[in-house]
Each structure stands twice: as C-alpha cells, then as structure tokens.
Amino acid sequence: MATRYWIVSLPVHSSASSLWSRLQESISKNSFDTLLYRFNIPNLRVGTLDSLLALSDDLLKSNSFIEGCSHKIRRQIEDLEKVSGILASSLTVDGVPVDSYLTKFVWDEAKYPTMSPLKEIVDGIHVQVAKIDDDLKVRIAEYNNVRSQLNTINRKQTGSLAVRDLSNLVKPEDIVTSEHLVTLIAVVPKYSQKDWLACYETLTTYVVPRSSKNLHEDNEYALYTVTLFNRDADNFKMKARERGFQIRDIEYDSESQEGRKQEIEKLMQDQESMRSSLLQWCYTSYGEVFTSWMHFCAVRLFSETILRYGLPPSFLSVVLSPSVKNEKKVRAILEGLSDTSNSTFWKTDEEGSMGGLGGEADTHPYVSFTINLI
C-alpha cells in the first residue's frame, strides 16, 4: 500500500465531473502509476468568514496532535507484536485496510451531523482523540510496570554472581546449619580461586578444614561454600572482604523458593494478559483515531477551500499518491487545472506559506495537504 497521500481541492468553474475527467486523463497520460480517487466531502455548514479564519488556526494546531496520536498507537501495535514474535498485521479501520478507508472515504453523518458548526465537529474530534491518548498513556504505564518488575527479577536471575539471586544455585544439601556450625557463601573472582582455596581455612581459627565446595561459575566469579563455627562468622566475613572475597547472605528456604517461582509465573501471566489486552485496545483505538483524523482532514480541506476559493462552495476534492519521481509532474498537472487568479489565499515563498496537514507547508494555487500513514 502507499503510505503518503495528497488530499487536494481544485476550483470548479463549469462542472466537477468534467474537471474530474480532465484530471483522470492528464494523470493517466503523464503519471500513470499515480493512484487517484475522489475524496467525497459533504456540504458542511460554512458559518462566517471570521469563524473560518479562527478555525483555520485551530485546525493547524490540532492536526499534529491527532496525527501524532495515530502514529503513536500504530508504533505501539508494532512494538507489542514484535515482543510476541509475530508478524505485524495489516491495520484496518471499520474492517477495511487503512488506505482503502482513506481512498474510499465516506462521511459519517450519524457521528458528525453536517449541520453542526465546524468548530463543534472539530472540538468533538479533539476531545475524543485526547481521551484515547490519555487512556493509552495509562495503559502503557500499567503494562510497562509489570514488564519492569519481571525484568528486575530476570536480571537478578541472570546477573553476575556478585548481584544475582543465589537461591536457585544453592541446594539444601550445600548448607550446614546446626547449633554451632554455619555455612557461608563466598563470591570469589575467578582469577583468585587458587588464593581462596589456599587461604580460606586460615582466615580465622574455627573454619572446618576442606569444607569449601565450588557450586557455580560465571564469566567473572566462582561461588564457594565454607563451613565454620557460628561464633566466628562475623570475623571470617571481615577477613574475607580484606582479601577481596565477597560473602553473600543467603538463607535457603524451600517455601520462599516456591513463592518466588509463583511470583514470576504470575508476573509472566499478567504481562501476557496485559499485552494481549493492550494490543486489542490499540487495534480498536487506532481505527477510532484514524476515522476521526480523516473527518478532521475533510473539515480542514473544506474550510481552507472556502477561504481560498470563496463562496459558494464549488470544488473538486481528490486523493492522490504519486511516486517520488512523478511528484513534479503531478504538481504541474494540478496547477494547470487551477485558476490562480481566484486563489485569494495563495502565497509565494517570499510572502510565507500555508501549513498543510502533517506539518508540511504548501505554496500551490490549489489547496493541498499531505497525509503520512506511517
């Protein structure tokens, strides 16, 4: 599908059908690969010139927000699908592909009555999109909170021996606990293992000989046990630190182990449930925002057309998607079909230019906005 479209209105001086035929013929001859469709805008309520001028400023400000919300939801959908390892699905609006909805746009009279003032329609769209944008922020924050908790636990499970959770590496049989004896867990730099084995028995007086056992190694450290008299534990920890050995506190508890396991499983289930729920919400909300955006674009095109060509409304509105190499040709065709003398709001580059949808400035003798679907 094309991802970049122009929405254009051309002034009509005889009949819209004859102008449409001329445009189709010119595009077919000079830029046959350019997609071309009618963009059907109903007879909207014009209001006063002052209200149109004021609305024009509001439309320019609001468009970036609405378009940005649309793209934000689309990117969120892509991120969520990437996490699950599935290919991104084609986005749809009311059950049809996004580009089809745009190129076959039909105004929703039930949702946006054409007799309503344009400002009322625009304000309604803005409020609806703003609510969706706020909901998106809350839902993403909740989802990311669960992901963060799970990532923190995973880091503890996979970090170096100096920081990671050791409970899954130390088994009950590795620990000696009695009235007088205690087993400590030492984290020894790999290059110091010989030093550890040579000195641990003599760091303090009451160490059980040959009690140190290697439990695990990673890229940086080795994990050793050492058994000694309980009364000498604090002194041993101090002496070990002086030699560069870290004594990790660990208390093996099968119930705690099981509790941690259940916590991880629950977080994983919560993460997947929230991911699925957020993805479904994004699909639905994207359709709502995109529908609102296209109606917004229709109001924008209509109001700018009235300001440019005057009353009564007499114009042909179309959607085009030229290839980059043919953009100049298509611009020339559109300019040739425009009556520049009646384009009262056409400004040159030196005088300043009018802002178009998508933030792109246009300086043409016809109304033209750019829509980027991605």
Side-chain angles (χ1 to χ4, degrees), residues 20-240:
W20 171 243
S21 297
R22 289 166 58 199
L23 177 59
Q24 282 182 305
E25 183 180 354
S26 296
I27 292 293
S28 178
K29 285 183 178 179
N30 299 286
S31 181
F32 66 89
D33 62 344
T34 295
L35 302 174
L36 175 64
Y37 306 89
R38 294 286 289 266
F39 188 72
N40 296 306
I41 300 177
N43 292 320
L44 300 174
R45 186 173 170 181
V46 176
T48 65
L49 179 61
D50 286 344
S51 67
L52 281 179
L53 287 170
L55 182 65
S56 180
D57 291 337
D58 291 340
L59 288 170
L60 187 59
K61 294 172 185 176
S62 295
N63 179 75
S64 294
F65 168 69
I66 298 172
E67 181 183 17
C69 184
S70 170
H71 294 336
K72 192 189 303 182
I73 296 174
R74 179 188 54 77
R75 287 193 298 270
Q76 187 62 50
I77 289 172
E78 292 174 352
D79 290 344
L80 291 169
E81 290 186 330
K82 191 180 298 180
V83 167
S84 65
I86 63 176
L87 295 175
S89 305
S90 297
L91 293 176
T92 60
V93 180
D94 292 341
V96 300
V98 172
D99 53 338
S100 295
Y101 182 88
L102 167 59
T103 55
K104 298 174 183 176
F105 175 75
V106 177
W107 183 274
D108 188 343
E109 174 67 25
K111 195 171 184 180
Y112 306 103
T114 53
M115 289 308 295
S116 299
L118 295 182
K119 181 170 175 51
E120 185 178 304
I121 294 175
V122 169
D123 288 348
I125 289 174
H126 192 98
V127 168
Q128 180 193 13
V129 175
K131 183 179 183 306
I132 290 175
D133 189 61
D134 288 341
D135 286 349
L136 177 65
K137 291 174 184 175
V138 171
R139 289 170 181 270
I140 290 176
E142 291 174 345
Y143 173 66
N144 285 339
N145 181 48
V146 173
R147 289 187 68 193
S148 177
Q149 291 181 55
L150 197 54
N151 287 338
T152 299
I153 292 175
N154 287 333
R155 278 197 297 273
K156 288 182 179 179
Q157 299 291 337
T158 58
S160 77
L161 291 173
V163 295
R164 68 174 289 181
D165 179 14
L166 302 179
S167 59
N168 62 330
L169 300 178
V170 181
K171 299 178 175 59
E173 56 266 28
D174 298 324
I175 303 294
V176 175
T177 303
S178 68
E179 183 180 353
H180 300 291
L181 295 175
V182 65
T183 297
L184 301 180
I185 304 298
V187 177
V188 179
K190 293 189 77 169
Y191 59 81
S192 299
Q193 290 184 84
K194 288 183 178 180
D195 183 26
W196 165 261
L197 293 172
C199 75
Y200 79 88
E201 294 179 358
T202 58
L203 286 179
T204 59
T205 306
Y206 300 102
V207 178
V208 176
R210 295 184 298 279
S211 63
S212 187
K213 182 171 67 171
N214 186 317
L215 299 182
H216 187 79
E217 293 184 15
D218 63 16
N219 292 332
E220 301 175 76
Y221 300 98
L223 198 66
Y224 283 89
T225 61
V226 58
T227 303
L228 62 154
F229 277 76
N230 205 352
R231 64 184 181 181
D232 210 23
D234 289 340
N235 188 32
F236 185 91
K237 291 178 182 178
M238 182 181 67
K239 295 292 185 181

Side-chain angles (χ1 to χ4, degrees), residues 271-331:
Q271 177 181 250
E272 179 54 29
S273 175
M274 293 180 75
R275 189 201 69 81
S276 179
S277 176
L278 178 56
L279 182 58
Q280 190 57 48
W281 182 89
C282 284
Y283 275 130
T284 302
S285 297
Y286 181 83
E288 292 178 7
V289 171
F290 194 84
T291 299
S292 299
W293 186 24
M294 291 306 100
H295 283 79
F296 181 94
C297 291
V299 173
R300 170 74 171 173
L301 191 70
F302 179 81
S303 62
E304 294 292 353
T305 295
I306 300 302
L307 289 173
R308 186 80 70 95
Y309 306 144
L311 290 170
S314 182
F315 62 94
L316 171 70
S317 52
V318 299
V319 177
L320 309 96
S321 181
S323 60
V324 175
K325 66 178 182 179
N326 283 329
E327 284 187 3
K328 288 185 177 180
K329 286 183 182 179
V330 175
R331 290 292 185 196

